[in-house]
Amino acid sequence: MTLEQLRIFVAVAERQHVTRGAAALNLAQSAASAAISALEASHGTRLFDRVGRGIVLTEAGRVFLGEARAVLARAEAAGRVLASFGALERGSLAVHASQTIASYWLPRHLVAFRRAFPGVALSLSVGNTAEVAAAVEERVAEVGFVEGAVESPLLEAVPVARDHLIVVVAPDHPWATRKGLQPADLMTAGWVVREAGSGTRSAFEDALRAGGLDPQQLEIAMQMPTNEAVRAAVEAGMGAAALSGSVAAGALEAGLLAAVDIRLPPRTFSVLTHRERQPSPLCAAFLGRIVRGAGGP
C-alpha cells in the first residue's frame, strides 16, 4: 500500500467517480482504476460497488476512507516538519568554542542568529582549542570555533576574525611603567599561563618563537584553567600574562591591570568543520552569516 494509492482512493471516494477522481489528481482514468484494483486485490476486499455507470463505497470502503484520510493527514504533517527544518523554522545546532571566543566574540553572533530564526535551539559548549577540535573530529559538534592553530586532515579551518594578545601585569609591577620592553625581556619575569591545548597559550608560545625565544625556557609561576583565573592571578600580583584584549579590557579600564609596552602578533579566530560531514541546512545558514560578517565569500 502506497501513499499514492491512498490519495487516489480518497479522491475517487470523495467524488464517487473514477474519472473525476483521476482528473482531480491529473491522472489518467486507467491509472486511477489500476490503483483501486491493486488495493482491492492486495487485501481481498472490495472498496466500491458498481451501480449502473457510477460507484458507491462498500462498508469496508467507508471505514477505510476514514483511515486513509488520517494516514494522508499524518504524511502531510510529516512533510511540514521536514519543510520546517529546511526553512530553518525549527531544529537544533550544537556549537563548541574555545574560551575567549565563547565568552567575548561568539555570543553576539548566536543572539543575532537566534533572533533571525526564533524556532531554532542553539547550545554552546566551551573548552580549549584542542578539546573543540576533538569534538568536531568526533562529530559531537557540527561546528567549532578556535583561537589556535589546528592541524588535522579531517578538519577544515576558515578564518572569521582577528584578535590581539596583550601582555598585562599588576599596576605595581616594574613592567607597568616601563617603555619599550624587548622580546628578550619576556624571559625575565614569572608568568601565569593557561593549560596546554589552550589557544591563548599556543598563540603566545608562537609569538615567543617568532621573536627567537624558546617557550620551554619561560618561567611559569602558575598555570590556570580559564582566562578569568589567569586575569585574577595577575591582578593579585602573581606575574605577567598574555591575554586577549577583550579579556583584559574591563580590568584595564578599572585600573586593576596595566598593559605592557610590547606588541605581540595578531592571531586568528577560525571556524572548524568536518571535511567528511555535509553541513545541515541550519549549520550552513549559521556559517554563512559568520563568514559574510567576516568579509568572506
Side-chain angles (χ1 to χ4, degrees):
M1 186 182 302
T2 67
L3 290 177
E4 183 65 13
Q5 288 175 328
L6 294 182
R7 290 189 186 96
I8 292 170
F9 166 72
V10 170
V12 170
E14 289 177 342
R15 292 162 180 81
Q16 299 283 290
H17 202 284
V18 176
T19 302
R20 292 170 189 162
L25 298 175
N26 294 315
L27 294 175
Q29 178 181 346
S30 58
S33 296
I36 298 298
S37 296
L39 274 175
E40 292 178 327
S42 63
H43 296 280
T45 302
R46 197 171 66 254
L47 298 173
F48 295 96
D49 283 326
R50 278 67 181 174
V51 178
R53 297 172 64 102
I55 58 173
V56 296
L57 284 166
T58 63
E59 182 181 358
R62 286 192 297 273
V63 174
F64 184 59
L65 177 59
E67 296 297 327
R69 283 171 171 161
V71 170
L72 291 176
R74 290 298 302 156
E76 184 178 351
R80 287 195 299 270
V81 168
L82 290 181
S84 71
F85 277 97
L88 307 185
E89 295 173 359
R90 63 192 298 177
S92 61
L93 180 64
V95 179
H96 285 223
S98 53
Q99 287 190 22
T100 302
I101 293 175
S103 298
Y104 300 95
W105 181 82
L106 189 57
R108 66 180 182 273
H109 295 286
L110 293 174
V111 169
F113 190 76
R114 183 65 168 71
R115 284 175 175 164
F117 304 102
V120 169
L122 298 173
S123 64
L124 175 62
S125 297
V126 183
N128 62 34
T129 291
E131 291 167 340
V132 172
V136 179
E137 279 186 334
E138 296 164 8
R139 307 187 187 222
V140 174
E142 191 168 5
V143 61
F145 292 87
V146 297
E147 59 213 55
V150 173
E151 300 293 336
S152 170
L154 295 176
L155 301 180
E156 181 176 1
V158 177
V160 292
R162 287 168 71 83
D163 180 51
H164 285 86
L165 289 181
I166 60 173
V167 176
V168 294
V169 294
D172 59 354
H173 191 284
W175 288 357
T177 55
R178 182 173 170 182
K179 300 298 182 183
L181 201 71
Q182 298 302 307
D185 295 327
L186 298 178
M187 310 304 288
T188 64
W191 288 82
V192 183
V193 299
R194 285 282 306 281
E195 77 285 359
S198 157
T200 296
R201 179 167 175 172
S202 296
F204 179 50
E205 291 178 347
D206 287 343
L208 292 177
R209 295 187 189 95
L213 304 173
D214 182 3
Q216 298 298 321
Q217 300 303 313
L218 198 69
E219 181 188 340
I220 297 178
M222 187 176 290
Q223 178 175 294
M224 308 295 278
T226 68
N227 293 321
E228 290 69 27
V230 170
R231 185 182 64 205
V234 175
E235 290 173 2
M238 178 53 65
L243 290 172
S244 167
S246 299
V247 175
L252 290 170
E253 185 176 351
L256 300 174
L257 289 177
V260 176
D261 185 23
I262 188 170
R263 187 174 181 83
L264 299 179
R267 61 175 177 168
T268 299
F269 290 168
S270 299
V271 59
L272 301 180
T273 54
H274 200 293
R275 294 183 185 275
E276 298 176 358
R277 181 175 184 174
Q278 181 71 26
S280 67
L282 189 58
C283 181
F286 180 65
L287 292 178
R289 283 173 164 256
I290 294 289
V291 173
R292 284 196 301 273

